Amino acid sequence: MDNRDVKRKIFECGRDMFYRNGYNKVKLDEIAKSIAISKKTFYNYYPNKLELLKDIVSRIKEDLFHDIEAILNDNTLSFSEKLKRNLSAITFRISDISTKFAEDLQHYAPEIYQDWLSYKAEASMHHLTELIQEGKRAGFVRQDVNIQTTVLIFICTLDSMLDPVFLNKLPSEFTRPLPPSPVEKFNAIMKVVYEGILTDEVKKTYHKIQ
């Protein structure tokens, strides 16, 4: 394997293990053993496990940004198709992330976690605002909808539902019925947002798109 292949294998193996088992429990030895390299070889590409985590989170952000930008800029798509594909793109990128990974990010890598929160807020303000503005201009989004309020509700709700510290402060009988995984929580929030802002006619079209 050349250097690019080795780094790619380290990245993909670390990402899969972090997503599945959380960040804290995964050891460098396990990553190295899984792809038949030594720890010394690992250190040739990443100085420590935290730097690998930074690379993984950075890639998530880059991929999401490019996916959504491509959808929003595709003039061949209807507004309803953009809504659906926007949701599908985000779901695809975060579908393998476990609750344990999200919790570990907050507890063991607080700087990366705060950077992730900032990214989500900035990306939501940019992309969701642009999408709702387009919908309002075309008459697909209710004219009485306040765009900034809608985006802020989305950002705050997503942050709260993905924050284990916040959720643990609430009664268990209240939080138990919540969707268990990050992607299910995201989909539940988007369903409420989309259902609330779309006109009745667009809702029918949106639900028909696979």
Side-chain angles (χ1 to χ4, degrees):
M1 292 188 293
D2 63 24
N3 290 341
R4 286 175 297 182
D5 286 336
V6 174
K7 186 169 185 178
R8 176 180 55 80
K9 285 184 174 294
I10 293 173
F11 177 91
E12 292 176 350
C13 180
R15 178 194 60 198
D16 294 345
M17 285 186 168
F18 290 166
Y19 281 5
R20 185 171 58 251
N21 303 317
Y23 169 74
N24 187 50
K25 285 188 176 181
V26 176
K27 308 302 180 186
L28 291 185
D29 289 333
E30 296 172 322
I31 297 174
K33 184 178 180 180
S34 294
I35 56 176
I37 64 171
S38 66
K39 285 180 67 175
K40 181 180 179 180
T41 300
F42 178 96
Y43 289 131
N44 287 336
Y45 298 93
Y46 294 101
N48 51 56
K49 191 172 72 167
L50 185 63
E51 289 302 314
L52 173 58
L53 178 64
K54 287 181 181 178
D55 199 12
I56 291 169
V57 174
S58 178
R59 183 76 60 83
I60 297 173
K61 296 190 299 183
E62 290 176 7
D63 289 343
L64 273 174
F65 183 85
H66 291 141
D67 288 348
I68 297 173
E69 281 285 295
I71 292 167
L72 294 180
N73 293 326
D74 189 342
N75 295 325
T76 67
L77 298 176
S78 68
F79 178 72
S80 295
E81 288 171 328
K82 287 184 179 182
L83 285 179
K84 184 68 76 170
R85 292 198 184 189
N86 179 59
L87 180 58
S88 297
I90 297 173
T91 298
F92 172 75
R93 292 298 179 187
I94 68 173
S95 59
D96 294 329
I97 296 177
S98 66
T99 300
K100 181 59 179 172
F101 176 77
E103 291 177 351
D104 280 4
L105 200 62
Q106 182 179 18
H107 289 195
Y108 298 103
E111 290 185 4
I112 298 177
Y113 179 73
Q114 289 302 319
D115 180 64
W116 172 245
L117 290 183
S118 297
Y119 164 78
K120 285 194 302 179
E122 292 170 5
S124 298
M125 282 188 286
H126 173 66
H127 291 133
L128 193 54
T129 297
E130 183 177 335
L131 194 56
I132 297 174
Q133 285 174 336
E134 178 181 335
K136 289 192 79 169
R137 287 194 298 267
F140 298 140
V141 171
R142 290 167 35 203
Q143 293 304 306
D144 63 337
V145 166
N146 182 283
I147 296 175
Q148 287 70 29
T149 299
T150 303
V151 174
L152 188 59
I153 288 172
F154 169 74
I155 294 171
C156 292
T157 305
L158 185 62
D159 285 348
S160 295
M161 286 187 68
L162 295 180
D163 183 351
V165 174
F166 171 77
L167 293 178
N168 287 336
K169 294 177 182 178
L170 302 176
S172 59
E173 60 268 21
F174 177 81
T175 58
R176 195 178 300 116
L178 288 174
S181 71
V183 69
E184 288 173 308
K185 288 183 172 73
F186 171 80
N187 287 338
I189 294 169
M190 291 310 295
K191 176 178 173 59
V192 173
V193 171
Y194 284 174
E195 292 283 350
I197 67 175
L198 299 179
T199 62
D200 292 338
E201 190 60 36
V202 176
K203 286 179 188 177
K204 296 175 184 177
T205 306
Y206 173 77
H207 289 305
K208 290 179 182 178
I209 297 175
Q210 299 300 316

